[in-house]
């Protein structure tokens, strides 16, 4: 067959269908709408099934820790009577060191059940290690396609570290330069091998994260006799928040769900020149915003990660603030965790100061650290790429130019994003090919997608000429 870029991407629908075994066309409804809940329910796995599968492969049931010293520090920065108790759910205790093993366990299990001989995952992050770990446990081959280098052959220490971990767990790692070749090479790999597409965005993977939210709800009830008030989820592609929020709901937990991303405004994730001018490879706005407002630009026709359906609030933190809280977690609490996983903790530290002292806020995940994922190689790499490192007010930080560590912890802030602006952007993406007024069914679908009122959706459509 023709292996040119245009030919391969032109065959993507059939390649993806063969590689995941799902006919997405049956979920399509009138116009732009599709049946999201039907897609999620058709995985064939209940929450109880996911719990059983994960326990079988040593995933989940991770501990929750109260961070007494960080709570005390937050209270020193807060107004009298403020400063909620800060907790963290330690997902680094999963075999490959992150919450993404919950997604991987579900996808690899399904691949084996369906008779696939191996799995392919496109990721530069922790998900690759999670898939490699689960493939090893469940006896499948594994290929990780990784966006790793710029055109000069320079790779970020965190991404290179993750490649080493994938290889150590038995996976074959295909390392690529930044750009559109990632999707092209992944399609080729799926077509050539006939392996399962262990996508981050499939219903199998995202429903596997529901166990995390479900555990949170039950752990707090059993240990503290109450639900947490706020759960902060690090947000990139949206599957973490989506799965956790759905699990919290199934546990009957009414906690406010807050998305948190590192602010990398102004940097393009697909730019060769800017690829190595950031110190975070996930949980940042370069993924968080586009995947929230246009979730279906992923490697499956309809993404199961749809965070705007579930988030109550979306905040950003700065790179320097996350590095600061990472070191504070180590020196004050004796827990050394990877910087990207501490995005939610930096936000939780700031948000705790808005809440009363008898309230509970949870940073929903941690990740493993070591080698290239540690603070020091990350900062040395930043300096090598011309990034200025200094102490001051992180509010003055300019992504791609400097990293500003807070002079004092009170300067750590959670800055709100305009959710209505994101909702309007999602609607604009959804209707970009529409020329006629939308039906009532399509309007109802957009209300679900945005958690917006009918008046809000119709006003936005009117502004767009529809």
């Amino acid at each position: 067959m023709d292996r040119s870029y245009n030919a391969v991407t032109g065959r993507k629908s059939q390649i993806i269908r063969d590689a995941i075994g799902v006919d997405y066309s049956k979920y399509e409804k009138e116009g732009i709408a599709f049946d999201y809940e039907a897609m999620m329910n058709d995985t064939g796995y209940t929450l109880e099934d996911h719990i059983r599968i994960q326990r079988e492969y040593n995933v989940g049931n991770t501990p929750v820790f109260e961070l007494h010293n960080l709570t005390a520090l937050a209270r020193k920065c807060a107004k009298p009577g403020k400063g909620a108790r800060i907790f963290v759910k330690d997902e680094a205790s999963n075999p490959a060191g992150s919450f993404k093993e919950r997604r991987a366990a579900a996808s690899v299990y399904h691949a084996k059940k369906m008779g696939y001989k191996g799995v392919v995952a496109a990721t530069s992050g922790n998900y690759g290690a999670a898939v490699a770990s689960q493939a090893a446990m469940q006896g499948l081959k594994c290929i990780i396609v990784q966006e790793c280098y710029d055109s000069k052959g320079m790779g970020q220490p965190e991404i290179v570290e993750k490649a080493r971990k994938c290889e150590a767990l038995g996976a074959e790692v295909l390392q690529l330069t930044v750009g559109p070749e990632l999707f092209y090479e992944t399609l080729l790999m799926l077509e050539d091998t006939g392996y399962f597409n262990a996508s981050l965005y499939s219903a199998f993977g995202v429903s596997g994260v529901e166990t995390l939210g479900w555990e949170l709800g039950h752990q707090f009830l059993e240990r503290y006799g109450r639900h947490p008030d706020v759960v902060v989820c690090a947000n990139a592609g949206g599957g973490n928040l989506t799965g956790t929020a759905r699990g919290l709901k199934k546990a009957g937990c009414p906690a406010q769900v807050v998305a948190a991303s590192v602010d990398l405004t102004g940097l393009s994730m697909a730019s060769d020149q800017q690829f190595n001018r950031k110190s975070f490879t996930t949980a940042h706005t370069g993924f968080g915003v586009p995947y929230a407002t246009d979730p279906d630009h992923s490697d499956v026709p309809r993404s199961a990660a749809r965070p705007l359906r579930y988030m109550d609030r979306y905040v950003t933190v700065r790179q320097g603030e996350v590095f600061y809280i990472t070191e504070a977690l180590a020196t004050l609490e004796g827990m050394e965790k990877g910087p990207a996983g501490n995005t939610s903790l930096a936000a939780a530290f700031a948000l705790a100061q808005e809440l009363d002292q008898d309230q509970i806020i949870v940073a929903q995940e941690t990740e493993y650290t070591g080698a290239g994922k540690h603070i020091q190689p990350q900062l040395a790499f930043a300096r090598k790429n011309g990034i200025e490192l200094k102490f001051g007010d992180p509010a003055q930080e300019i992504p791609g130019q400097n990293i500003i560590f807070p002079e004092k912890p009170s300067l750590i802030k959670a800055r709100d994003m305009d959710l209505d602006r994101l909702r309007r952007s999602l609607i604009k993406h959804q209707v970009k090919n529409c020329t006629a007024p939308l039906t009532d069914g399509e309007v109802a679908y957009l209300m679900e997608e945005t958690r917006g009122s009918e008046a809000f959706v119709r006003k936005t459509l009117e502004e767009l000429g529809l």
Side-chain angles (χ1 to χ4, degrees):
M1 287 187 288
D2 188 344
R3 296 170 69 86
S4 67
Y5 180 87
N6 289 336
V8 172
T9 55
R11 297 196 298 270
K12 69 178 181 180
S13 294
Q14 186 60 49
I15 294 172
I16 294 299
R17 181 180 298 180
D18 292 343
I20 205 164
V22 176
D23 180 6
Y24 283 87
S25 66
K26 69 179 182 178
Y27 304 117
E28 297 301 322
K29 298 170 71 175
E30 58 180 330
I32 63 172
F34 87 106
D35 195 334
Y36 175 66
E37 288 300 334
M39 183 181 74
M40 296 301 289
N41 292 333
D42 278 358
T43 61
Y45 301 98
T46 64
L47 176 65
E48 291 72 24
D49 290 331
H50 284 300
I51 293 170
R52 173 184 56 79
I53 293 165
Q54 290 175 10
R55 298 296 185 274
E56 184 177 349
Y57 295 104
N58 305 318
V59 175
N61 198 27
T62 55
V64 169
F65 297 110
E66 183 168 7
L67 304 180
H68 298 281
N69 295 329
L70 277 179
T71 298
L73 182 61
R75 289 175 176 174
K76 286 181 179 291
C77 302
K79 294 179 180 178
K82 298 293 184 180
R85 298 165 67 186
I86 303 172
F87 289 75
V88 66
K89 187 158 175 61
D90 189 15
E91 289 294 289
S93 60
N94 283 310
S98 79
F99 85 92
K100 291 184 177 177
E101 201 129 11
R102 296 175 187 267
R103 290 169 120 156
S107 291
V108 174
Y109 182 90
H110 183 71
K112 186 174 182 179
K113 177 182 176 182
M114 297 300 291
Y116 290 89
K117 301 301 181 184
V119 292
V120 175
T123 170
S124 63
N126 291 331
Y127 187 56
V131 173
S133 175
Q134 285 299 305
M137 286 190 195
Q138 300 190 42
L140 295 187
K141 301 286 187 181
C142 179
I143 299 173
I144 302 301
V145 187
Q146 184 191 54
E147 194 174 53
C148 185
Y149 298 108
D150 62 16
S151 59
K152 298 177 182 177
M154 184 179 294
Q156 291 187 344
E158 183 177 6
I159 299 177
V160 174
E161 152 69 18
K162 291 169 182 174
R164 284 195 293 262
K165 190 171 182 71
C166 291
E167 290 176 336
L169 292 167
E172 179 181 349
V173 180
L174 175 63
Q175 295 182 317
L176 306 172
T177 52
V178 64
E181 67 173 324
L182 177 70
F183 189 48
Y184 165 73
E185 291 287 352
T186 302
L187 289 172
L188 269 183
M189 195 65 65
L190 291 169
E191 191 171 52
D192 289 346
T193 62
Y195 286 0
F196 182 78
N197 178 21
S199 167
L200 279 162
Y201 304 102
S202 76
F204 305 108
V206 173
S207 61
V209 185
E210 292 179 8
T211 60
L212 201 165
W214 184 88
E215 285 176 17
L216 268 177
H218 284 278
Q219 284 173 317
F220 276 90
L221 275 181
E222 292 167 5
R223 191 177 305 176
Y224 304 103
R226 53 164 298 182
H227 289 298
D229 298 283
V230 180
V231 175
V232 186
C233 303
N235 189 55
N240 185 24
L241 184 141
T242 299
T244 299
R246 289 173 63 87
L248 287 168
K249 186 176 181 180
K250 290 181 179 181
C253 178
Q256 182 187 43
V257 177
V258 179
S261 297
V262 177
D263 188 350
L264 293 184
T265 303
L267 290 181
S268 169
M269 299 308 105
S271 167
D272 178 64
Q273 288 75 31
Q274 297 177 6
F275 183 66
N276 283 327
R277 297 190 69 79
K278 62 186 188 301
S279 292
F280 287 80
T281 62
T282 188
H284 57 66
T285 54
F287 289 142
V289 172
Y291 277 92
T293 58
D294 188 17
D296 292 325
H297 79 292
S298 66
D299 59 353
V300 290
R302 290 291 192 174
S303 174
R306 309 190 88 83
L308 279 183
R309 285 179 173 242
Y310 298 100
M311 68 175 68
D312 298 301
R313 188 175 176 184
Y314 194 172
V315 301
T316 62
V317 290
R318 303 295 168 88
Q319 294 178 96
E321 293 168 330
V322 180
F323 281 125
Y324 185 101
I325 211 72
T326 298
E327 188 160 336
L329 179 65
T331 57
L332 296 181
E333 301 287 355
M335 297 175 66
E336 200 173 28
K337 305 297 178 183
N342 287 324
T343 301
S344 56
L345 182 58
F349 179 83
L351 295 173
Q353 298 168 47
E354 302 176 3
L355 304 172
D356 295 335
Q357 291 188 359
D358 63 347
Q359 292 184 283
I360 290 174
I361 188 168
V362 185
Q364 161 264 12
E365 55 110 356
T366 63
E367 64 170 294
Y368 82 98
T369 191
K373 288 168 68 69
H374 197 273
I375 291 176
Q376 296 307 325
Q378 291 278 56
L379 295 180
F381 185 76
R383 185 181 287 114
K384 182 178 179 180
N385 279 278
I387 306 300
E388 181 185 15
L389 309 180
K390 63 180 182 179
F391 283 87
D393 184 353
Q396 306 302 315
E397 186 175 282
I398 302 174
Q401 295 185 28
N402 56 32
I403 295 174
I404 302 179
F405 312 106
E407 288 182 331
K408 50 187 178 182
S410 60
L411 292 174
I412 298 174
K413 304 294 182 184
R415 302 157 186 88
D416 277 283
M417 296 188 71
D418 184 346
L419 275 184
D420 280 347
R421 182 180 178 185
L422 296 179
R423 290 172 177 135
R424 284 191 289 269
S425 180
L426 182 143
I427 293 172
K428 184 177 180 180
H429 280 294
Q430 293 276 328
V431 303
K432 62 184 177 183
N433 295 321
C434 296
T435 56
L438 271 65
T439 65
D440 290 344
E442 289 175 295
V443 170
Y445 163 73
L446 289 175
M447 290 168 61
E448 293 174 351
E449 282 283 272
T450 61
R451 292 181 74 186
S453 67
E454 182 176 356
F456 172 82
V457 171
R458 291 195 181 277
K459 183 175 185 296
T460 303
L461 292 172
E462 183 179 346
E463 292 168 354
L464 293 170
L466 291 170

